[in-house]
Amino acid sequence: MRDAYIIGAGQTPFGSMPDRSYRSLFLTAFERAVESVPHGIDEDEIDEAVIGSLGVGGRQLGLSGPAATEHLGLHGIPSSRIENACAASGYSVRQAVQAVKSGMADVALAGGVEVMTDMSGDMTKYWLGVSGETEWERLTGTTFAGVYAQMASAYLDRYDATREHLSMVAVKNHANGAKNPNAHLGFECSLDDAMSAPDVAHPLNLYHCCPTSDGAAAVLVASEDVVDEYTEEPVRVAGVGASSERVGLFQREEYTTIASSRRAGETAYDRAGLGASDIDFAEVHDCFAIAELLAYEDLGFCDPGGAPQLLDDGVTDLDGDLPVNASGGLKSKGHPIGATGAGQIAEAFKQLRGKAGERQVEDPTYGLTHNVGGSGGAAVVHILEREVGR
């Protein structure tokens, strides 16, 4: 199969935007992706589009892909929607890569969009809850935070980890997000702030939980046959892995690992011909602080139980050996469900082209993105490579 390349990517700011619709948000993300293509691209050169969205609030659940792309002026091309909870647009990028690698498209648009802040708190809990198991979790009163709190409790009980380590994730990601003009919560916080916040679902407190956000992100994927028409600095999709898992937490054998993340990472490494030690930076799915600790381990950055030591040693800090969530992650950058995975790709694309400003990672070659649906019912991992001297 052909190689696939990211030639452009962009996103809106993430946050509360009551004056924006999902169509207008996605249009802005698309325009920013087009602007990032060095030689430019015309709409009629795009062969296919795949849009990720949960459809929070019930908006345009049917035909939301065509509804979004029609607003861009992309008429007549195949356009579809992927719903895989919080991993929706990570999977949309995977789908676009598949279309390009198979030869069905030379250029494909992937992305995602969500509007989440125009509902009551109770309705937001409902829409977050649909990403979990319905009969035995959501309908019996378990919240999304409650599911991850069970995972956090099991982890803290099993390993040499404390609530302070959860708070260290928040401090790190807020420090990074303060350097990101697109971040929803773009401010720094102290360890004391992150330790003393009100509980949401013990042991998780407010600073251990990401916000609900509005936003959109878009990614343009091109084949090796046409990539040179658009850029001399493409970002190659070196490897992609995806996996699913039992949706309900109660159905799993272990609470201290997400098997879908582990399998998706293993597949991506195998297809890229790389290992975890080759990765220069990562954007991981930190919907809750415990999720970042699990990601370190599931993606092979350390052994099981070793995540707290990475934090203690500053390995995952912006100036560490393996910066994680330079964007601020979901915790600070925000989490518009359908846009999150594509937003991670947009950040990795910017980092690999050396255009991330104050939060730029030093001279990266390989970046990894990790996008999880629900509490691990789905996961997708992309490994991106900066090609030198193409």
Side-chain angles (χ1 to χ4, degrees):
M1 290 193 292
R2 305 184 297 180
D3 267 339
Y5 292 85
I6 310 296
I7 58 171
Q11 67 162 84
T12 66
F14 289 175
S16 177
M17 290 170 275
D19 59 335
R20 302 294 298 273
S21 71
Y22 73 92
R23 287 183 172 97
S24 72
L25 284 167
F26 194 68
L27 175 60
T28 297
F30 174 70
E31 290 173 340
R32 291 185 176 186
V34 168
E35 289 168 2
S36 73
V37 180
H39 298 169
I41 185 170
D42 294 329
E43 284 86 348
D44 61 7
E45 296 172 60
I46 298 171
D47 302 313
E48 183 165 342
V50 191
I51 312 302
S53 180
L54 184 64
V56 166
R59 59 177 54 77
Q60 197 58 55
L61 286 172
L63 296 177
S64 53
T69 53
E70 173 272 334
H71 191 67
L72 311 182
L74 301 180
H75 306 298
I77 65 170
S79 180
S80 58
R81 165 188 175 237
I82 283 189
E83 186 285 294
N84 232 358
C86 319
S89 61
Y91 269 81
S92 77
V93 174
R94 177 179 181 267
Q95 199 84 350
V97 169
Q98 287 179 319
V100 165
K101 289 175 78 69
S102 71
M104 292 187 71
D106 272 325
V107 179
L109 167 66
V113 61
E114 212 75 71
V115 176
M116 302 183 67
T117 66
D118 61 347
M119 300 180 298
S120 69
D122 286 342
M123 282 301 296
T124 302
K125 288 178 188 176
Y126 171 86
W127 280 100
L128 286 169
V130 301
S131 300
E133 201 280 333
T134 297
E135 186 176 7
W136 297 104
E137 288 182 350
R138 180 166 61 86
L139 294 183
T140 57
T142 302
T143 64
F144 202 36
V147 170
Y148 273 92
Q150 293 177 65
M151 299 164 79
S153 293
Y155 189 90
L156 297 185
D157 182 62
R158 183 172 185 176
Y159 296 120
D160 187 18
T162 67
R163 294 184 81 195
E164 182 169 327
H165 290 110
L166 300 177
S167 295
M168 289 169 70
V169 171
V171 172
K172 171 181 71 68
N173 291 351
H174 272 282
N176 295 343
K179 299 177 174 67
N180 185 352
N182 288 318
H184 187 168
L185 304 179
F187 55 84
E188 295 187 11
C189 71
S190 68
L191 185 60
D192 183 62
D193 292 333
M195 287 290 291
S196 60
D199 277 355
V200 173
H202 190 82
L204 302 178
N205 69 31
L206 186 65
Y207 268 93
H208 302 150
C209 308
C210 72
T212 54
S213 312
D214 306 330
V219 179
L220 290 161
V221 184
S223 75
E224 64 180 75
D225 297 335
V226 301
V227 64
D228 292 336
E229 299 174 19
Y230 300 105
T231 181
E232 287 88 26
E233 48 180 350
V235 171
R236 187 173 77 94
V237 182
V240 182
S243 181
S244 58
E245 176 57 288
R246 294 175 180 86
V247 173
L249 188 64
F250 73 95
Q251 297 169 305
R252 302 178 197 168
E253 294 182 3
E254 287 192 78
Y255 285 13
T256 57
T257 182
I258 294 178
S260 57
S261 292
R262 187 176 66 251
R263 289 191 293 261
E266 289 169 351
T267 300
Y269 289 136
D270 182 62
R271 290 177 175 165
L274 300 170
S277 62
D278 295 304
I279 302 302
D280 296 307
F281 69 90
E283 289 287 312
V284 307
H285 197 94
D286 62 319
C287 49
F288 299 92
I290 184 60
E292 181 162 326
L293 295 181
L294 299 184
Y296 294 172
E297 299 174 12
D298 292 334
L299 297 171
F301 300 150
C302 62
D303 292 331
Q309 194 64 51
L310 293 187
L311 289 167
D312 289 338
D313 294 344
V315 172
T316 58
D317 290 350
L318 190 58
D319 60 355
D321 291 339
L322 178 62
V324 173
N325 286 336
S327 68
L330 284 62
K331 176 64 195 77
S332 174
K333 182 184 177 183
H335 184 28
I337 289 177
T340 291
Q344 292 176 325
I345 297 284
E347 174 70 17
F349 178 73
K350 188 171 288 189
Q351 290 283 352
L352 289 167
R353 294 179 67 200
K355 297 184 177 181
E358 288 184 82
R359 65 187 188 281
Q360 179 63 51
V361 173
E362 185 177 354
D363 195 29
T365 300
Y366 294 107
L368 179 149
T369 67
H370 160 256
N371 190 199
V372 175
S375 61
V380 58
V381 171
H382 290 82
I383 298 174
L384 306 182
E385 175 189 9
R386 174 175 58 91
E387 286 201 342
V388 179
R390 179 177 172 83

